[in-house]
Structures are given as C-alpha cells and as structure tokens.
Amino acid sequence: MTAPEAGRGIGIGERVAEETTTFGFPRDTFRILHVSTGNVCRSPITERLTRHFVTERLGVLGGGLIVESAGTWGHEGAPMEANAETVLGEFGADASGFFGRELLDEHVIRADLVLTATRDHRAQVISMGHSAGLRTFTLKEFTRLVRAIDPATLPPLEDGVVTRARALVRAAAALRGWLLAPTAEADEVYDPYGAPLTFFRSIGDEIHQALDPVVTALTGVNTRA
C-alpha cells in the first residue's frame, strides 16, 4: 500500500472522525492530547512545543486546533519541572501557566488525536476504551506514519486545519499495520524526571525532531523550506 492509497477513504478510518461526534462535542475543533506519566516533563514539553510550532507556521494557534496534555499518573495541579521549563524557553516556547493533570476518561473522549510518550502510555489510553485505538499513537510512531503520507493527498489548509488534521489521522491509522518500527525502542521517548538539564535537552531535541514533520503535515507549512 502506498501513502496516497492510505489517504483515500478507508472506511474504518472514517469512523474515527464520526465517533468523536457521538459525545456531543463540537465538530469544528480538533483536540490533540499529549500523554506521559506525571504530566510534568515530557507531555508538557510536547504540548507547549506543539503550540509554539503551529503558531510559528500559522501566526496563531487557532482555527479550531486545541493542544493539551495529561499524565497516566498525573501530578494534579503540579507545576512543570524546572528543567522542562528551561528547555521550552530555549526553544522560544511559552511555559507559563502550566499545571499538571491526571488523565481522565473525559480527556480521551474529547481527543481527536492522542500522542503518547511510550507504548505503555498508548496501551493505557487504549485500555480506557472510548474507541481510542484508531486515534492513539506514540509520538514517534505517528511521526513515522506521517512521513509516509503524501501531503498532496491531504485537504488544503484553505479547507481548515481541522479538516486537514482529521484526514491526517485517518491516513496514519490506515498505514499503521504497514509501517512497523525498526525496534521497540524506536517509538519511545524516555522519562527525564530527576535527570540533569543535559538529559532534558536531549529529550527536548527528540521531541522537536518528532514534532516537526507532524506540525508541517498539520499546517501544510514547512519552516525549513
């Protein structure tokens, strides 16, 4: 199967978009939920970098795109780790006003795309139900799939970032069984909790490299062009 074939109306992928309407949430939004363990290191970095990179490309975070995060053992109300704040600042991203959240059913129900730090996090999200399997990926897994999708098969940004994002998730879900990770570790972002700033920086660089093609695909804008 080629990437263009994957982007053409796969029935099971079509149901992903439909299921997000059954709980009564607006169709004119697209929620990206980043998930890690404590929601004080990896997922805050990923959340705020996603917002930053989308804003870099589009000039504003809007158009119905909502980016948030939570933790499977989330430190409810806790501040982001200081080293995570430092890493975000070095990327020029805003770390202010962040408070940790424990992952709840409602977060999964409302999410159109769930990106997790590890395969264990992905399994935990899927185990919660809510038809989450087809819209839940590890971050690096989703990046691998997105790289294989021909941007020409996605709706143009003129149709709205929500429409483009929904098509991207359908195409990625259709490709999942065809593009496997070279190793199990290839889909993992390891936990820097308690580590020195140098390790946080390396994790920040990993997340940046994984997010760049994803945000490019979402927005249709490549800042490296």
Side-chain angles (χ1 to χ4, degrees), residues 44-185:
I45 292 174
T46 315
E47 173 197 321
R48 294 305 176 92
L49 283 183
T50 302
R51 294 184 185 185
H52 178 65
F53 295 147
V54 169
T55 302
E56 270 191 331
R57 287 162 169 79
L58 300 182
V60 64
L61 178 65
L65 188 64
I66 300 168
V67 185
E68 51 196 359
S69 63
T72 54
W73 290 88
H75 300 296
E76 189 72 30
M80 190 185 311
E81 281 288 292
N83 283 342
E85 287 193 23
T86 299
V87 167
L88 284 172
E90 291 173 350
F91 280 108
D94 182 13
S96 65
F98 181 87
F99 296 100
R101 301 193 305 175
E102 183 174 355
L103 182 67
L104 302 176
D105 288 271
E106 66 188 67
H107 301 146
V108 177
I109 290 169
R110 293 174 66 137
D112 298 286
L113 172 63
V114 184
L115 297 176
T116 70
T118 69
R119 292 168 297 144
D120 283 347
H121 296 132
R122 182 185 64 194
Q124 289 180 63
V125 171
I126 293 172
S127 74
M128 295 171 72
H130 315 302
S131 305
L134 291 173
R135 50 196 168 90
T136 302
F137 309 79
T138 74
L139 171 62
K140 289 185 175 180
E141 173 191 23
F142 194 66
T143 301
R144 182 176 67 254
L145 299 172
V146 164
R147 287 184 185 277
I149 296 168
D150 183 353
T153 65
L154 299 173
L157 190 59
E158 288 76 11
D159 290 354
V161 69
V162 169
T163 298
R164 187 178 177 93
R166 293 190 189 284
L168 184 67
V169 173
R170 289 196 298 269
L175 278 173
R176 191 186 330 234
W178 295 82
L179 293 175
L180 302 179
T183 65
E185 291 73 22

Side-chain angles (χ1 to χ4, degrees), residues 146-223:
V146 164
R147 287 184 185 277
I149 296 168
D150 183 353
T153 65
L154 299 173
L157 190 59
E158 288 76 11
D159 290 354
V161 69
V162 169
T163 298
R164 187 178 177 93
R166 293 190 189 284
L168 184 67
V169 173
R170 289 196 298 269
L175 278 173
R176 191 186 330 234
W178 295 82
L179 293 175
L180 302 179
T183 65
E185 291 73 22
D187 282 343
E188 305 280 289
V189 176
Y190 291 108
D191 192 355
Y193 185 77
L197 180 57
T198 52
F199 189 66
F200 269 83
R201 284 178 173 141
S202 70
I203 293 299
D205 287 339
E206 280 187 40
I207 291 171
H208 173 210
Q209 292 171 23
L211 278 177
D212 186 73
V214 171
V215 176
T216 294
L218 277 173
T219 63
V221 179
N222 187 350
T223 59

